[in-house]
Amino acid sequence: MMKESIEEALNVQMNRELFSSYLYLAMAADFEKKNLRGMGTWMRIQAGEEYAHAMKFYDFIINRGGTVSLRKIDAPPKSWKSPLQAFENAYEHEQKVTHWIHELVDLAISEKDHATAVMLQWFVNEQVEEELNASENVANLKLLGDKGPILMIDHHLGKRKKS
Ligand code: FEO
């Protein structure tokens, strides 16, 4: 059994992962509306990964005999001024997620919940990759500027495959 404090924190994080999925789906929709299909594909895949992250928390809560508590998911914005602004938003969001995951690890350690601490290590590693991907996209967009090169980046990001 999990302590209540851990169960609550895991449910909150599950909701944040579902919001992440919503956020990236909204970005996908905005890109696709603007005919940036490659970036849309990249964000659709990201939205799917975030849903999978949420389900890891769901499964863990169930496997520990806890209660999954689904909460209201905040609505993300509908559009972004430019691809750079969207990817900067994604990078900022991932930094926030990293901070929340680290807070969860701190809580698991302080509550002496070793199973939760071990499960969270996957997320600690995942966040390194998430931040790297997001910051590389921002750096590429900054380096190449906008207009013509955006289409090159769009083409490149459209090659992303589901992992
Ligand atoms: Fe689930 Fe992008 O962090």
Side-chain angles (χ1 to χ4, degrees), residues 4-19 22 58 61 67-75:
E4 251 178 58
S5 58
I6 297 281
E7 184 182 284
E8 171 62 16
L10 294 176
N11 273 302
V12 167
Q13 187 59 31
M14 180 175 63
N15 178 271
R16 290 171 178 151
E17 301 289 349
L18 289 170
F19 172 75
Y22 251 35
Y58 174 106
I61 294 167
T67 302
V68 165
S69 156
L70 294 173
R71 290 135 200 225
K72 188 173 153 191
I73 303 168
D74 290 337

Side-chain angles (χ1 to χ4, degrees), residues 35-112:
N35 275 325
L36 292 166
R37 298 279 175 179
M39 292 186 192
T41 296
W42 198 95
M43 283 297 177
R44 272 184 192 235
I45 291 173
Q46 189 62 30
E49 285 197 2
E50 298 299 348
Y51 180 74
H53 293 172
M55 290 307 290
K56 276 186 188 284
F57 283 101
Y58 174 106
D59 287 334
F60 185 78
I61 294 167
I62 296 280
N63 291 344
R64 296 283 307 278
T67 302
V68 165
S69 156
L70 294 173
R71 290 135 200 225
K72 188 173 153 191
I73 303 168
D74 290 337
K78 286 194 192 74
S79 73
W80 285 262
K81 200 171 67 187
S82 64
L84 177 59
Q85 197 200 43
F87 279 102
E88 278 179 335
N89 189 177
Y91 183 36
E92 281 160 22
H93 182 69
E94 287 306 326
Q95 288 173 295
K96 258 195 271 174
V97 174
T98 300
H99 174 73
W100 288 325
I101 294 290
H102 291 180
E103 275 185 347
L104 265 173
V105 174
D106 291 343
L107 177 68
I109 291 168
S110 74
E111 295 283 17
K112 299 187 177 13

